Amino acid sequence: MKTIEEINQHNVKKILSEKKIPDFYPGDVVKVGVRITEGKKERIQYFEGVCIAKKSRDLNSSFTVRKISFGEGVERTFPLYGTLIDSIKVIRSGKVRRAKLYYLRDRTGKSARIAEKIRKKIGIDVDVKPETVTEENVAPAVEAPKEEAPAVQAAPVVEAPKEETPTVETSKEEPKSESPPEKK
């Protein structure tokens, strides 16, 4: 016989297979798409604000989002696995040191701001695979530096006279740049 916890965990897995819920934490600015039924019509209304609390209780998980609307603070608690939620999107991550940000209720303006957490991510995730050393891999690498070395020595000799001519031109341009301030 299954316990209630096992049934709840099974339902959570079933819901997660149908829709994707991103990882977000208190302090993150979240945009929640809520399904609203008006008569026979159904539409999606977005509620964007700071996540101030998150409760993790399997199927009963919920989170609270707070936003300032026309100068008035509005909080709304959503069930994480509820059917009314269409989508959850993390707009930006906040850098906080608390699990519950109830102190934001008393603050307004600049004191209610949360610093952004900067995640260091460079381009595409790359898996490093160890290479096996073979004669084919080593041979071209040894030959290439020998060919490049003479070309590098010849290039500076040709470029040296070219560098001297621009310095002369820049010295001629400097008096021109001084003349506009004199006109003022």
Side-chain angles (χ1 to χ4, degrees):
M1 186 170 183
K2 291 185 178 181
T3 62
I4 294 174
E5 293 174 2
E6 291 173 351
I7 293 170
N8 286 345
Q9 289 174 353
H10 174 71
N11 288 337
V12 167
K13 288 179 184 176
K14 183 179 172 185
I15 292 168
L16 285 175
S17 66
E18 294 173 4
K19 66 178 181 179
K20 186 178 181 292
I21 298 174
D23 289 335
F24 64 96
Y25 305 97
D28 294 353
V29 176
V30 186
K31 189 173 185 179
V32 183
V34 185
R35 285 195 190 103
I36 293 181
T37 307
E38 296 172 339
K40 294 180 181 178
K41 294 182 180 178
E42 187 175 284
R43 65 183 177 89
I44 297 171
Q45 183 176 7
Y46 291 97
F47 190 88
E48 183 175 347
V50 178
C51 176
I52 62 168
K54 191 171 179 185
K55 183 178 85 168
S56 299
R57 308 274 188 278
D58 285 337
L59 192 62
N60 300 324
S61 298
S62 64
F63 61 99
T64 305
V65 180
R66 178 180 175 82
K67 76 173 183 177
I68 306 296
S69 179
F70 299 104
E72 193 72 25
V74 179
E75 287 185 11
R76 192 160 175 193
T77 303
F78 299 101
L80 189 61
Y81 302 110
T83 55
L84 291 179
I85 293 183
D86 182 60
S87 64
I88 301 172
K89 186 177 180 183
V90 178
I91 304 299
R92 65 182 210 133
S93 298
K95 184 178 180 183
V96 293
R97 297 173 68 180
R98 304 273 182 277
K100 308 285 190 247
L101 306 178
Y102 297 136
Y103 66 90
L104 290 177
R105 292 173 175 165
D106 300 330
R107 298 193 180 188
T108 57
K110 286 189 176 181
S111 64
R113 291 184 301 175
I114 296 175
E116 187 172 359
K117 185 192 304 180
I118 299 169
R119 295 182 178 154
K120 293 182 179 178
K121 193 171 187 180
I122 302 171
I124 304 168
D125 295 334
V126 179
D127 295 332
V128 179
K129 296 179 182 177
E131 289 188 26
T132 55
V133 180
T134 60
E135 292 178 19
E136 295 172 0
N137 293 343
V138 178
V142 174
E143 293 174 10
K146 290 179 183 177
E147 293 174 8
E148 291 177 7
V152 172
Q153 292 173 355
V157 175
V158 176
E159 291 178 7
K162 290 180 183 177
E163 290 177 4
E164 293 175 9
T165 53
T167 55
V168 174
E169 291 175 16
T170 54
S171 62
K172 291 178 184 177
E173 291 176 6
E174 289 174 4
K176 292 178 184 177
S177 63
E178 292 175 7
S179 58
E182 292 173 340
K183 291 178 183 177
K184 290 181 183 177

